[in-house]
Amino acid sequence: MAAKLVADCIFCRIIKGEIPSVKLLETATTFAFLDIGPLSEGHALVIPKYHAEKLHQVPDEFLAETMPVAKKIAAALGVDNYNILQNNGKLAHQEVPHVHFHIIPKPNEQEGLTIGWPTKQADPAKLRELASTLKL
């Protein structure tokens, strides 16, 4: 299973060693390193060695190790609270167009990820209708 990397992607260049990083772990399909603009100490990124902008574009074999690697990093950090975050597209706050997973320690109220969660009341009938249209 060969990596698919592109020349003009910052994360692909990190994987290839063209841009320095503080590597935490590397496997045949995954690369993990510390974020250079951390939200808190220990903020790390896990990226598949396959260039794709959105999660649904990455072959499963390049995703198989991402969560186990994220889990190892979270455990090694030894923090009680943390977020695992993955964004798809600019409107969803994705800054680098290469799929990546953030492991963000949340040591206190001020550091780490801060988000709002503007929930809405869902109509149960509309939820069932939506579920019936999804082709899973």
Side-chain angles (χ1 to χ4, degrees), residues 36-59:
I36 63 168
L39 296 179
S40 58
E41 184 176 4
H43 181 168
L45 298 169
V46 178
I47 57 177
K49 290 183 175 180
Y50 186 96
H51 181 81
E53 183 173 346
K54 297 184 178 169
L55 183 65
H56 68 275
Q57 299 166 333
V58 181

Side-chain angles (χ1 to χ4, degrees), residues 5-19:
L5 305 174
V6 298
D8 64 344
C9 170
I10 190 169
F11 285 172
C12 290
R13 294 184 66 205
I14 287 171
I15 291 167
K16 292 187 280 186
E18 296 173 359
I19 295 175

Side-chain angles (χ1 to χ4, degrees), residues 23-97:
K23 180 169 57 170
L24 297 174
L25 187 93
E26 183 174 9
T27 71
T29 61
T30 304
F31 192 94
F33 58 101
L34 291 173
D35 195 308
I36 63 168
L39 296 179
S40 58
E41 184 176 4
H43 181 168
L45 298 169
V46 178
I47 57 177
K49 290 183 175 180
Y50 186 96
H51 181 81
E53 183 173 346
K54 297 184 178 169
L55 183 65
H56 68 275
Q57 299 166 333
V58 181
D60 289 348
E61 58 267 23
F62 284 92
L63 294 172
E65 293 182 309
T66 55
M67 285 300 100
V69 167
K71 179 181 172 183
K72 285 180 185 180
I73 293 168
L77 287 167
V79 295
D80 289 332
N81 301 287
Y82 58 91
N83 296 92
I84 305 290
L85 176 68
Q86 198 277 319
N87 302 322
N88 293 276
K90 284 203 175 287
L91 281 178
H93 307 286
Q94 183 180 13
E95 295 295 323
V96 178

Side-chain angles (χ1 to χ4, degrees), residues 115-126:
I115 59 173
W117 205 270
T119 62
K120 301 174 188 175
Q121 186 64 40
D123 177 339
K126 287 185 179 181

